[in-house]
């Protein structure tokens, strides 16, 4: 099956959802192309639209991706540690 690459998009032009751990970008069909951060870390570069046959190639550098568990770091300061004086 041949790839149906609609366009090549820089990752900086995509929107990152830290809750879902997914990058997305508007598709001409009205839906959006999607690719999970773990797929990008694994070397995948094709984002697909779940509503049509279009795909985009994501241009990115692995070292610039958000670090694993990066979204969970904000929750850590909420932990309270009792200090003895």
């Amino acid at each position: 099956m041949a790839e149906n690459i609609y366009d090549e998009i820089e990752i900086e032009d995509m929107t990152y959802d830290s809750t879902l751990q997914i990058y997305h970008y508007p598709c001409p069909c009205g839906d959006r192309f999607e690719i999970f951060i773990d797929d990008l870390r694994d070397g995948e570069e094709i984002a697909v639209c779940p509503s049509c046959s279009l795909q985009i190639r994501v241009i990115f550098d692995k070292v610039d991706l958000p670090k694993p568990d990066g979204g969970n770091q904000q929750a850590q300061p909420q932990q309270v540690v009792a200090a003895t004086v």
Side-chain angles (χ1 to χ4, degrees):
M1 183 170 149
E3 292 180 347
N4 188 15
I5 304 297
Y6 170 71
D7 202 354
E8 293 187 351
I9 304 297
E10 296 280 340
I11 198 164
E12 294 84 10
D13 295 329
M14 299 181 77
T15 303
Y16 180 60
D17 183 330
S18 61
T19 302
L20 298 176
Q21 300 285 295
I22 194 169
Y23 277 93
H24 55 88
Y25 187 80
C27 180
C29 79
D31 203 347
R32 61 187 184 181
F33 298 102
E34 300 176 336
I35 189 165
F36 286 97
I37 186 78
D38 287 339
D39 293 335
L40 292 168
R41 288 187 186 116
D42 290 341
E44 179 62 51
E45 60 182 19
I46 304 299
V48 298
C49 176
S51 297
C52 72
S53 63
L54 294 180
Q55 303 174 2
I56 56 171
R57 185 176 317 278
V58 181
I59 309 301
F60 69 101
D61 190 350
K62 280 187 181 181
V63 297
D64 294 332
L65 294 175
K67 304 297 180 222
D69 299 320
N72 294 336
Q73 291 176 347
Q74 293 176 351
Q76 291 175 353
Q78 294 176 356
Q79 298 173 352
V80 178
V81 178
T84 56
V85 182

